[in-house]
Amino acid sequence: MRMSKTIYHTAALLAAMTAPAVHAAIVETGDVTINSGLNTKRVGDTGAGALTINAGSSVVDRKLLIFGANAGSNGVGLVTGAGSSLEINNDLSIGGGGTGKLTVSDGATAFTKRLPGDPEDVGEVAIGQAAGSVGELIVTGAGSSFSADSIWFYMGGSGTATLTVEDNATMVAFDQTIDAPFFRTTQNADGQATINVRSGGLLDITGAGNDVIHLGEKGDATLNIESGGRMLAGRMRVAQQDNSTVDINITGVGSELKAEFLFAAQDPNTVVTIDVEDQGLLHVTRWLYVGQEGTGTLNVSGGSEVDVDEDLWVGGELGAFAGNGSMTVTEGSTVTVDDDMYISTGIATGVFSISGDGTKLTVNDRLWVGWGYYDAASGTRFPADGTLEVGRGALIEAPGNGPSSNSGLRFTVASVDTATMRFIIGDDGAGSIESGLIETGHLRFGGGTALLDIDIDSGVVLSLGDMFTLIDYANWDGGLFDNVADDAIVSFGGYRFLIDYDTDLGGGDLALTATVVPEPTSLALLGLGGLLVLVRRGQRAGGENDAGPQRCRVRRPSDRKDQWIRI
């Protein structure tokens, strides 16, 4: 019996000796100073300092915690491991005047909150605020989180700031009390800010204030959302003033930026570029503005998606807005606008271009091209200049099913406005020559100048009799493009086309078609000069001899038994 006890105790002792030692640790090294009177801790005051919290340890810190307080200092913080936590009551500065870095990793948590009492003292997180300072906050690893509750959040005021949320970590900045922009980047022209959300990371900035996030107030900023990262935001103002430049990149399957409002390029000297690539998603639940007063560009490619639950504006806004907006959609990507879309409003210039097989724009209410600004006080109307460009294989749908009485496709509003409708004919590489197509339930021409243009891609060769359906529509108001009359023969891209506003397709539908016809010299050689060239068109889909106006694809005489040039 004693021998058994001896064996038992010996085994237990050996197990204890060989087991790895795990010690909860809060380690401060180097230049770490505490000012009890000011309730402040500085990790890296004038030199190098570090704070490590691991193995389930917890620190509730004082009113102000600074990493890298003064010029020349370097402060590093690490909170790591499940159960490890850092709580800051009120203010956190990362790179106050020097270089600072805080990493929250491997299931650890950190959060800031304001102290109860003075409602004006809401606290703040500041990253790289002073001139010459560098600050970085990294939240990484599943279960890791950083939260800022009722706190002002500043990045790159006059310094350089980087925020990274990655590898299934989460950061939440959710304000319930501040009716002002509480997440602000580059408040000064010399500031630089970069936000990275990637590899399943989530950045949630959905405060209850009027303006939630300013991305690039006066300095430059970059937002990268990639590899399944997601960012949720309320009202976003992007590139506001003082020549600020902002780049937003949304790349990869599962990568998403979701915002209530997104105003891009709000000052005449600002520039915003938004790229949505490789099946990324941009979702705006209210209004999206591209080039409100400055220069805004939105590129959508690689099967990506843009969803706007209310209105999309490309170039300006209704009012005295003189922006320059452009939007390009390619490679099977889709854009869906549940309400209205405006291309060039106010006194702005707007261009929307779409091309490629499977690429599609759907506007469920009104698609306006060219809506100028009217100044009631002076009685002056300022012109808008909008261009809608449809390339090979692309489809625009404006079914006219919206609640507005004038839903569908509309060109211009007043006499000073200009709208250009450009179709591009191209080859899919397999011998199929196509243009783009617009399908709409309503087609209306306003009081301005509406122009039709046809381009042919380099290397594409057309043949006599090639016919393209450009617009397939119903409920036409009878208006015409100002540069093309019905049954007119006009030259585009080195070819002559017969343009027909066709009302003889059956079923009450209408179509705008363009058919390649001979040059006058060719007709003269045949002794046919001066005769009207007409093309016989058959019935809509289901007819005996014709498949009807097909989705942009050219129709040649060999495709039909009875279609050819008739003179």
Side-chain angles (χ1 to χ4, degrees):
M1 195 71 168
R2 286 182 183 175
M3 185 174 292
S4 298
K5 288 185 178 180
T6 302
I7 294 173
Y8 173 80
H9 288 301
T10 301
L13 178 60
L14 289 172
M17 291 174 63
T18 58
V22 178
H23 300 289
I26 301 169
V27 181
E28 297 177 355
T29 58
D31 181 14
V32 179
T33 64
I34 296 176
N35 187 321
S36 299
L38 296 176
N39 205 14
T40 300
K41 177 184 287 184
R42 300 185 178 195
V43 180
D45 186 5
T46 57
L51 168 64
T52 300
I53 305 168
N54 64 21
S57 302
S58 297
V59 171
V60 179
D61 225 307
R62 47 209 71 234
K63 186 175 181 180
L64 174 60
L65 175 61
I66 306 176
F67 293 93
N70 295 293
S73 66
N74 191 334
V76 177
L78 174 62
V79 188
T80 184
S84 302
S85 65
L86 171 64
E87 177 183 335
I88 302 104
N89 290 312
N90 249 46
D91 296 338
L92 169 65
S93 176
I94 306 172
T99 299
K101 180 178 180 180
L102 173 61
T103 301
V104 183
S105 67
D106 298 330
T109 62
F111 60 96
T112 60
K113 64 178 182 180
R114 71 181 182 92
L115 293 172
D118 185 357
E120 297 298 323
D121 188 12
V122 296
E124 68 181 41
V125 175
I127 306 174
Q129 279 298 95
S133 66
V134 178
E136 184 174 12
L137 172 60
I138 300 174
V139 190
T140 181
S144 302
S145 67
F146 183 97
S147 61
D149 184 16
S150 298
I151 298 288
W152 294 95
F153 201 105
Y154 299 107
M155 289 184 62
S158 288
T160 301
T162 302
L163 167 63
T164 300
V165 185
E166 63 185 5
D167 296 334
N168 299 303
T170 301
M171 175 178 161
V172 178
F174 188 84
D175 173 70
Q176 299 260 3
T177 62
I178 306 171
D179 190 17
F182 76 94
F183 194 108
R184 304 173 65 182
T185 69
T186 64
Q187 299 97 298
N188 299 300
D190 54 349
Q192 298 276 338
T194 301
I195 300 174
N196 303 305
V197 188
R198 60 197 178 206
S199 303
L202 171 64
L203 175 58
D204 186 350
I205 310 173
T206 51
N210 182 45
D211 288 331
V212 175
I213 176 172
H214 288 185
L215 186 63
E217 283 193 23
K218 297 181 180 180
D220 297 342
T222 301
L223 170 61
N224 300 311
I225 303 173
E226 55 192 1
S227 303
R230 297 177 63 232
M231 176 173 168
L232 310 178
R235 186 184 299 247
M236 292 184 66
R237 297 189 181 275
V238 182
Q240 290 185 286
Q241 52 186 308
D242 287 1
N243 302 295
S244 64
T245 298
V246 176
D247 293 321
I248 299 177
N249 306 297
I250 308 167
T251 306
V253 177
S255 301
E256 177 186 7
L257 170 59
K258 182 178 181 180
E260 182 184 10
F261 295 89
L262 198 160
F263 304 88
Q266 293 200 282
D267 185 81
N269 297 316
T270 58
V271 178
V272 174
T273 302
I274 305 173
D275 290 314
V276 189
E277 304 173 314
D278 299 331
Q279 301 183 57
L281 170 63
L282 172 61
H283 182 191
V284 179
T285 61
R286 296 289 304 278
W287 300 340
L288 169 59
Y289 294 85
V290 181
Q292 190 175 21
E293 288 221 64
T295 299
T297 302
L298 173 54
N299 302 310
V300 190
S301 64
S304 298
E305 185 177 351
V306 173
D307 292 334
V308 182
D309 293 351
E310 293 190 14
D311 297 340
L312 168 60
W313 313 70
V314 180
E317 183 184 354
L318 292 179
F321 292 88
N324 183 356
S326 65
M327 185 170 176
T328 302
V329 187
T330 61
E331 299 175 348
S333 301
T334 60
V335 177
T336 303
V337 182
D338 285 345
D339 287 344
D340 297 338
M341 178 174 174
Y342 303 88
I343 303 171
S344 178
T345 51
I347 50 180
T349 299
V351 177
F352 180 88
S353 178
I354 184 170
S355 63
D357 291 327
T359 309
K360 184 178 178 180
L361 166 68
T362 301
V363 181
N364 287 319
D365 199 348
R366 298 176 296 183
L367 173 54
W368 291 88
V369 185
W371 185 342
Y373 165 63
Y374 176 70
D375 182 14
S378 64
T380 303
R381 184 172 287 278
F382 297 90
D385 186 359
T387 299
L388 178 58
E389 185 175 274
V390 191
R392 189 206 63 78
L395 172 64
I396 294 179
E397 288 186 337
N401 296 328
S404 303
S405 59
N406 53 3
S407 62
L409 176 60
R410 298 181 59 86
F411 294 111
T412 75
V413 174
S415 60
V416 296
D417 299 330
T418 301
T420 301
M421 181 69 255
R422 179 176 296 117
F423 293 88
I424 301 176
I425 298 173
D427 191 325
D428 68 352
S432 178
I433 297 177
E434 302 174 336
S435 72
L437 173 68
I438 295 178
E439 293 182 342
T440 180
H442 302 269
L443 178 65
R444 294 180 172 85
F445 291 81
T449 300
L451 303 174
L452 176 68
D453 188 22
I454 299 174
D455 283 349
I456 294 91
D457 281 343
S458 176
V460 173
V461 178
L462 305 183
S463 300
L464 295 181
D466 285 357
M467 186 175 76
F468 304 89
T469 299
L470 306 178
I471 303 179
D472 188 15
Y473 54 87
N475 297 317
W476 173 41
D477 70 354
L480 305 176
F481 287 101
D482 289 87
N483 61 331
V484 180
D486 190 15
D487 287 332
I489 297 176
V490 293
S491 295
F492 292 115
Y495 291 88
R496 286 163 54 84
F497 292 89
L498 169 67
I499 305 299
D500 187 12
Y501 298 77
D502 186 6
T503 59
D504 189 26
L505 297 177
D509 287 345
L510 312 169
L512 177 69
T513 61
T515 304
V516 180
V517 297
E519 295 289 335
T521 54
S522 300
L523 289 174
L525 290 173
L526 294 173
L528 303 174
L531 296 179
L532 180 64
V533 179
L534 298 174
V535 178
R536 183 169 180 255
R537 285 163 298 275
Q539 300 172 343
R540 296 280 288 174
E544 180 179 353
N545 297 315
D546 187 12
Q550 300 177 28
R551 199 162 285 217
C552 322
R553 197 164 280 120
V554 63
R555 296 194 298 164
R556 288 183 165 157
S558 58
D559 297 332
R560 297 182 39 193
K561 298 178 181 179
D562 60 350
Q563 177 181 299
W564 187 232
I565 298 175
R566 178 167 56 85
I567 47 179

